[in-house]
């Protein structure tokens, strides 16, 4: 890349950063905008395939001018801004500026950035270029932040890539339930009330299959071994198709924290898998409620009528390790 082409690209990126400022955001100074554009270009200059690029830089100067710049270059996809912001906040860093232009770009065969195109350029690849400013952090904190951001971005990618298969898996489990109320609840979550993030089918011997979404990355252990045994026993004691408190799905709060969209413990929706009349496995759907689900009126939420009992005491779904506690719809 020549100095002339680099200057042209930096100017184009700087212009997109300025255009992406939201109403009420403090404007860049002319010098600050030029430096932000050059910093983002340095991060975005070369990118291999779909791999994200993360750059972190401490800015020195007068006391009021000391801060940290962060650039995250990635394929454009859902959940990026909120997931990245929550990851940074979880590291104890307040975000002073966040700008998120999505740029149409062109790269050569080696991943070198060669052009930033007009925003309405049809058919061109679009990349998310997120620019943030926070207070400064020491070298150890910067390493930890970069590691946390890479883990978050990996979760976002697999959650988005596997979403159609996770939707299909929840639909299949709903269709396979003989209990109409449990099926209605799963369909309600599937149809926009749950941000589905992961799925796994867990067998009694501990082996797993149909591992999707974040269960392929950060959430490989949704529950502790004791809680897996208790989940199987919960269904064993109820029997297939029987009523009472053992009607599927079993809803469990995991201790595993979502890194996608919102940092909160995952909700698990567990459905027994039968083979020749015996429970052979558990199909587990992991996700977090959407804002629509959280805001839904009680009359809009499908109800599972169950006989409340002493599940908490007798079955011990109290958190331990990666265990969770049972939630029972009544």
């Amino acid at each position: 890349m020549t100095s002339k082409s680099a200057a042209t690209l930096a100017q184009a990126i700087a212009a997109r950063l300025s255009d992406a400022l939201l109403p009420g955001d403090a404007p860049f100074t002319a010098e600050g905008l030029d430096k932000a554009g050059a910093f983002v270009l340095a991060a975005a200059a070369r990118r291999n395939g779909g791999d994200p690029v993360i750059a972190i830089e401490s800015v020195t100067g007068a006391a009021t001018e000391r801060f940290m710049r962060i650039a995250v270059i990635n394929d454009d996809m859902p959940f990026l801004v909120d997931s990245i912001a929550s990851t940074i906040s979880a590291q104890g860093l307040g975000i002073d500026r966040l700008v998120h232009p999505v740029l149409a770009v062109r790269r050569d065969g080696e991943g070198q950035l060669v052009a930033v195109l007009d925003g309405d350029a049809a058919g061109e690849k679009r990349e998310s270029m997120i620019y943030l400013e926070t207070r400064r952090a020491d070298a150890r904190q910067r390493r930890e932040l970069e590691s946390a951001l890479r883990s978050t971005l990996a979760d976002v990618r697999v959650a988005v890539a596997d979403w159609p298969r996770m939707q299909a898996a929840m639909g299949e489990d709903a269709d396979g339930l003989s209990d109409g109320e449990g099926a209605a609840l799963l369909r309600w979550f599937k149809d926009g009330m749950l941000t589905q993030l992961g799925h796994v089918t867990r067998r009694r011997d501990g082996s797993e299959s149909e591992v999707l979404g974040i269960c392929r990355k950060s959430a490989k252990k949704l529950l502790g071994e004791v809680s897996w045994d208790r989940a199987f026993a919960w269904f064993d004691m109820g029997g297939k198709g029987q009523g009472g408190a053992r009607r599927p799905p079993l809803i469990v709060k995991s201790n595993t924290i979502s890194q996608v969209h919102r940092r909160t413990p995952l909700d698990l929706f567990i459905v027994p898998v039968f083979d020749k009349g015996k429970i052979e496995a558990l199909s587990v759907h992991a996700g977090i409620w959407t804002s629509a689900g959280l805001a839904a009126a009680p009359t809009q939420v499908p109800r599972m009528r169950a006989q409340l009992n002493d599940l908490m005491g007798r079955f011990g779904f109290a958190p331990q390790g990666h265990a969770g506690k049972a939630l029972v719809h009544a």
Side-chain angles (χ1 to χ4, degrees):
M1 185 187 300
T2 66
S3 58
K4 183 177 180 180
S5 62
T8 300
L9 290 171
Q11 290 172 1
I13 290 173
R16 302 300 196 282
L17 288 172
S18 181
D19 291 344
L21 288 171
L22 298 175
D25 285 350
F28 287 98
T29 64
E31 181 183 10
L33 182 59
D34 287 344
K35 290 183 176 179
F39 174 68
V40 174
L41 172 60
R46 184 182 294 273
R47 183 163 173 252
N48 297 319
D51 294 339
V53 176
I54 300 169
I56 302 175
E57 173 185 78
S58 288
V59 178
T60 59
T64 58
E65 298 172 342
R66 296 173 186 172
F67 62 96
M68 187 165 68
R69 292 192 181 103
I70 304 168
V72 181
I73 317 300
N74 198 59
D75 293 339
D76 187 39
M77 61 185 65
F79 305 131
L80 283 176
V81 172
D82 43 5
S83 301
I84 289 170
S86 63
T87 298
I88 293 172
S89 296
Q91 297 293 312
L93 296 170
I95 296 172
D96 300 318
R97 186 190 295 278
L98 190 159
V99 191
H100 180 213
V102 177
L103 286 66
V105 302
R106 189 170 295 156
R107 295 184 180 274
D108 64 19
E110 297 181 349
Q112 186 79 27
L113 182 66
V114 296
V116 174
L117 308 169
D118 291 337
D120 57 355
E124 298 291 346
K125 182 179 181 180
R126 296 183 183 275
E127 293 186 4
S128 162
M129 298 191 182
I130 299 177
Y131 173 83
L132 305 103
E133 293 176 0
T134 74
R135 69 168 174 81
R136 292 177 66 184
D138 61 28
R140 178 185 59 80
Q141 289 175 302
R142 293 196 298 271
R143 290 193 298 270
E144 291 175 353
L145 174 59
E146 181 175 351
S147 177
L149 286 171
R150 291 195 182 281
S151 178
T152 292
L153 292 171
D155 272 4
V156 170
R157 181 171 293 276
V158 293
V160 171
D162 289 352
W163 183 80
R165 294 171 64 191
M166 291 187 288
Q167 282 262 291
M170 184 170 276
E172 290 169 3
D173 279 349
D175 292 344
L177 287 181
S178 58
D179 184 283
E181 291 179 352
L185 183 63
L186 284 182
R187 292 191 184 101
W188 185 76
F189 279 119
K190 173 181 173 291
D191 294 337
M193 301 303 167
L194 185 76
T195 302
Q196 290 178 253
L197 300 177
H199 174 269
V200 64
T201 297
R202 171 87 174 196
R203 296 182 180 82
R204 290 184 184 271
D205 62 5
S207 62
E208 295 179 344
S209 62
E210 300 174 71
V211 182
L212 302 172
I214 64 173
C215 295
R216 294 200 277 133
K217 295 294 182 179
S218 73
K220 293 181 179 179
K221 190 171 183 181
L222 294 174
L223 289 171
E225 295 300 323
V226 171
S227 287
W228 282 120
D229 292 340
R230 288 171 176 165
F232 275 105
W234 193 81
F235 287 114
D236 289 339
M237 291 177 65
K240 182 178 179 181
Q242 293 186 21
R246 293 162 181 77
R247 296 160 63 186
L250 170 63
I251 304 174
V252 173
K253 181 71 75 173
S254 175
N255 279 355
T256 299
I257 303 297
S258 166
Q259 297 187 131
V260 179
H261 185 42
R262 193 171 68 248
R263 292 187 75 85
T264 188
L266 292 166
D267 286 301
L268 308 182
F269 301 85
I270 305 175
V271 177
V273 177
F274 289 90
D275 183 25
K276 299 178 180 178
K278 295 183 178 180
I279 299 173
E280 296 296 332
L282 300 176
S283 176
V284 185
H285 306 271
I288 57 177
W289 290 55
T290 63
S291 56
L294 291 170
T299 54
Q300 298 175 322
V301 182
R303 184 176 63 176
M304 283 185 65
R305 289 167 293 184
Q307 178 183 358
L308 290 176
N309 59 16
D310 58 347
L311 275 176
M312 294 299 291
R314 291 177 55 197
F315 250 67
F317 273 99
Q320 58 172 344
H322 284 267
K325 72 175 182 180
L327 304 178
V328 180
H329 286 264

